Amino acid sequence: MLDVSHVTKKYGKMTAVNDLSFHLNPGEVTVLLGPNGAGKSTLMKSVIGFLKYQGEITVAGYPNKSVEARRVLGYIPEMPALYPNLTVSEHMEFLARAYRMKDYKDRIEMLLERFELSDKRKKFGDELSKGMQQKLNLCLGLLPDPQMLMLDEPMIGLDPHAIKELKNVIEEMHDQGKTLLISTHIIDSVDMLWDRTLVLQNGLLRANVTRKELDDSNKTLEEMFFEVTEGVSQEHMREDAVSEEELNAEPEKKKSGLFGRR
Ligand code: ADP
């Protein structure tokens, strides 16, 4: 479904993604795990075609920037890009029309309901709290129901209800045979249905394991993660993980510890 072949992305002299190659099968849920700055967002932005890079990327056999690939692939960015002067409903309507969706009203209602935005439908983009913006961002990404969806750090900023709902949505999409690529730097947040984990560190692919391979190795995801990223300062990762912004957004993580089971 997704073929990434020798992809390198440099910002000036800095190599953010370094000669990455991997393949995702149709219907797989893949977690892209790595500390902050590992290159996860850069990889996703390259796949969706927002960045120039070296190497080749195809989606369902089509070059990633082709119209055919765009029909198949969706992307939910980490940072919501909302219009300050459009309401929640207008954002959804606008996107549905841009995708020339038919009979989209029920799907809009269902998504707003699930992410507790129904009573916010008349609020403007700049009237929404950060968490509400994140939820609208999710609803917008889910609306076209693409065959393959990339979600960049989707749990950040969500309240517990929305996290649960998002996990349900991910499971449903998995059951429907959709292909998902979900980035995160928080190991605990991926105790969900996943088929494959890619570990990225300093722009390099450190591991590409299926759930079966991990189970057969009798290791936890966390153990495997630290094994393949040895040498990277764990202090550095903890600092990244417990940034004040995230703690405020998701207080329950503070209690469990972001890498708490270690
Ligand atoms: P992640 O998503 O894993 O946190 P990113 O892909 O955002 O990592 O960043 C990878 C590296 O590229 C980091 O060192 C980051 O500072 C750098 N980087 C990201 N975006 C830019 C940019 N627009 N210009 C320069 N450097 C960037």
Side-chain angles (χ1 to χ4, degrees), residues 109 111-122:
E109 288 312 307
L111 286 168
L112 294 183
E113 186 73 33
R114 288 186 78 163
F115 288 96
E116 296 184 314
L117 287 175
S118 296
D119 57 340
K120 308 285 182 303
R121 65 184 73 228
K122 292 198 174 132

Side-chain angles (χ1 to χ4, degrees), residues 124-137:
F124 288 96
D126 62 0
E127 290 176 332
L128 298 173
S129 71
K130 206 171 152 226
M132 288 174 202
Q133 290 182 19
Q134 287 295 131
K135 292 199 273 190
L136 178 55
N137 187 44

Side-chain angles (χ1 to χ4, degrees), residues 9-12 14-17 32-45 51 78 152-153 183-185 200 202-203:
K9 170 66 193 173
K10 294 182 182 182
Y11 296 109
M14 213 283 282
T15 305
V17 162
L32 180 60
L33 193 60
N36 287 336
K40 305 182 296 295
S41 296
T42 300
L43 173 63
M44 286 192 171
K45 285 179 195 163
L51 296 175
E78 186 178 7
D152 195 357
E153 299 275 7
S183 81
T184 183
H185 68 283
L200 205 59
N202 298 333

Side-chain angles (χ1 to χ4, degrees), residues 62-127:
Y62 301 108
N64 62 331
K65 293 181 187 173
S66 64
V67 176
E68 290 86 352
R70 278 166 206 259
R71 283 204 191 106
V72 175
L73 185 61
Y75 166 60
I76 304 185
E78 186 178 7
M79 297 289 180
L82 302 177
Y83 296 97
N85 54 352
L86 287 189
T87 65
V88 167
S89 291
E90 286 165 353
H91 273 93
M92 297 293 276
E93 183 97 20
F94 179 72
L95 195 91
R97 290 189 190 187
Y99 275 83
R100 297 200 174 91
M101 290 177 70
K102 290 181 189 136
D103 306 325
Y104 51 81
K105 303 258 181 215
D106 286 351
R107 186 161 171 81
I108 290 179
E109 288 312 307
M110 180 273 288
L111 286 168
L112 294 183
E113 186 73 33
R114 288 186 78 163
F115 288 96
E116 296 184 314
L117 287 175
S118 296
D119 57 340
K120 308 285 182 303
R121 65 184 73 228
K122 292 198 174 132
K123 277 201 181 279
F124 288 96
D126 62 0
E127 290 176 332

Side-chain angles (χ1 to χ4, degrees), residues 2-261:
L2 175 67
D3 265 302
V4 171
S5 178
H6 299 291
V7 167
T8 295
K9 170 66 193 173
K10 294 182 182 182
Y11 296 109
K13 285 185 184 158
M14 213 283 282
T15 305
V17 162
N18 196 348
D19 195 25
L20 285 194
S21 296
F22 62 88
H23 170 82
L24 303 187
N25 297 316
E28 273 182 350
V29 174
T30 299
V31 170
L32 180 60
L33 193 60
N36 287 336
K40 305 182 296 295
S41 296
T42 300
L43 173 63
M44 286 192 171
K45 285 179 195 163
S46 301
V47 171
I48 197 74
F50 288 173
L51 296 175
K52 283 188 181 165
Y53 55 85
Q54 292 164 274
E56 255 184 62
I57 302 176
T58 60
V59 180
Y62 301 108
N64 62 331
K65 293 181 187 173
S66 64
V67 176
E68 290 86 352
R70 278 166 206 259
R71 283 204 191 106
V72 175
L73 185 61
Y75 166 60
I76 304 185
E78 186 178 7
M79 297 289 180
L82 302 177
Y83 296 97
N85 54 352
L86 287 189
T87 65
V88 167
S89 291
E90 286 165 353
H91 273 93
M92 297 293 276
E93 183 97 20
F94 179 72
L95 195 91
R97 290 189 190 187
Y99 275 83
R100 297 200 174 91
M101 290 177 70
K102 290 181 189 136
D103 306 325
Y104 51 81
K105 303 258 181 215
D106 286 351
R107 186 161 171 81
I108 290 179
E109 288 312 307
M110 180 273 288
L111 286 168
L112 294 183
E113 186 73 33
R114 288 186 78 163
F115 288 96
E116 296 184 314
L117 287 175
S118 296
D119 57 340
K120 308 285 182 303
R121 65 184 73 228
K122 292 198 174 132
K123 277 201 181 279
F124 288 96
D126 62 0
E127 290 176 332
L128 298 173
S129 71
K130 206 171 152 226
M132 288 174 202
Q133 290 182 19
Q134 287 295 131
K135 292 199 273 190
L136 178 55
N137 187 44
L138 271 179
C139 290
L140 289 166
L142 293 169
L143 181 59
D145 200 17
Q147 199 54 37
M148 175 172 175
L149 183 61
M150 295 189 296
L151 302 98
D152 195 357
E153 299 275 7
M155 310 291 178
I156 300 297
L158 295 183
D159 57 41
H161 172 88
I163 289 178
K164 188 160 172 274
E165 207 51 58
L166 177 60
K167 287 182 178 179
N168 290 340
V169 168
I170 288 169
E171 285 200 25
E172 287 163 22
M173 292 182 79
H174 189 244
D175 290 346
Q176 291 161 9
K178 304 280 168 63
T179 309
L180 300 177
L181 180 62
I182 306 162
S183 81
T184 183
H185 68 283
I186 303 170
I187 297 178
D188 285 0
S189 74
V190 293
D191 58 340
M192 58 172 82
L193 201 64
W194 58 268
D195 303 300
R196 180 184 298 278
T197 294
L198 305 174
V199 178
L200 205 59
Q201 181 196 34
N202 298 333
L204 293 165
L205 191 62
R206 300 287 189 195
N208 178 351
V209 288
T210 61
R211 187 180 276 274
K212 178 157 190 327
E213 284 164 350
L214 190 71
D215 288 348
D216 288 349
S217 74
N218 280 324
K219 285 184 191 129
T220 65
L221 186 57
E222 201 168 44
E223 284 164 349
M224 183 276 285
F225 178 85
F226 286 111
E227 203 175 286
V228 299
T229 58
E230 60 179 357
V232 137
S233 155
Q234 293 178 15
E235 283 308 313
H236 162 72
M237 291 201 55
R238 275 202 222 112
E239 272 168 33
D240 280 344
V242 293
S243 74
E244 200 162 302
E245 193 186 346
E246 285 168 24
L247 286 176
N248 289 338
E250 285 184 276
E252 74 282 359
K253 289 222 159 61
K254 192 176 187 176
K255 283 179 232 137
S256 65
L258 291 158
F259 292 92
R261 282 171 304 180

